Amino acid sequence: MNIADQVTGMVSTSLLISGGITLLVLVIVGIVLWRVLLPIFRGQKMTRELLDNGEFAQAKILRLAETGMMINNQPVADILLEVHPRDRAPYQAQARMAISMLRVAQVQPGAVVPVRFDPSDASKVVIDLR
């Protein structure tokens, strides 16, 4: 075996190893993105479905808490609501939403807001500020 064959073999091995490492990194990044983005997309889908098909109710905001997250430069807040459906007893539910700076005054403790909820799972609630 001459030197050229040895160099070719080493280059092929190096390319194979670097290709394997690149593939491994891409798989890991893909898994991380999947685990991070999937819950976000599921939450957006649930919100759209509730806004379109959820049962209407009024709710009083009991507590507003910062999450430390921002979406499109809008703060995301955890909101404790006292939901007052028409046909059942009031109950408490938790909602999380990005609040437009233009709507911050509407979403304060003590305010009454329109909400939509899933009648089959009343813990699924979104504030309807459309």
Side-chain angles (χ1 to χ4, degrees):
M1 184 181 274
N2 63 26
I3 300 252
D5 290 338
Q6 289 177 348
V7 169
T8 302
M10 289 188 329
V11 168
S12 295
T13 302
S14 295
L15 288 175
L16 186 61
I17 291 172
S18 65
I21 291 172
T22 302
L23 182 62
L24 179 64
V25 168
L26 288 174
V27 167
I28 291 170
V29 168
I31 290 170
V32 168
L33 285 175
W34 181 261
R35 293 195 53 126
V36 169
L37 296 178
L38 187 62
I40 292 170
F41 291 133
R42 281 186 181 154
Q44 289 176 345
K45 181 181 177 193
M46 183 194 75
T47 297
R48 279 192 308 274
E49 287 175 358
L50 282 176
L51 287 172
D52 292 341
N53 305 315
E55 193 172 310
F56 176 80
Q58 293 288 323
K60 182 177 180 180
I61 297 176
L62 300 177
R63 187 177 65 234
L64 187 68
E66 292 182 31
T67 63
M69 294 187 302
M70 301 281 278
I71 296 178
N72 295 333
N73 291 326
Q74 297 176 351
V76 177
D78 282 330
I79 305 166
L80 181 62
L81 300 163
E82 183 178 80
V83 181
H84 294 267
R86 293 180 202 152
D87 59 346
R88 52 178 100 176
Y91 67 94
Q92 290 187 1
Q94 188 84 22
R96 177 176 278 191
M97 67 180 285
I99 302 172
S100 165
M101 293 299 198
L102 299 174
R103 300 214 185 248
V104 168
Q106 292 176 295
V107 187
Q108 293 296 315
V112 176
V113 293
V115 297
R116 300 281 177 166
F117 70 96
D118 182 345
S120 62
D121 183 357
S123 67
K124 294 179 181 176
V125 177
V126 294
I127 297 175
D128 188 357
L129 295 177
R130 300 182 280 180

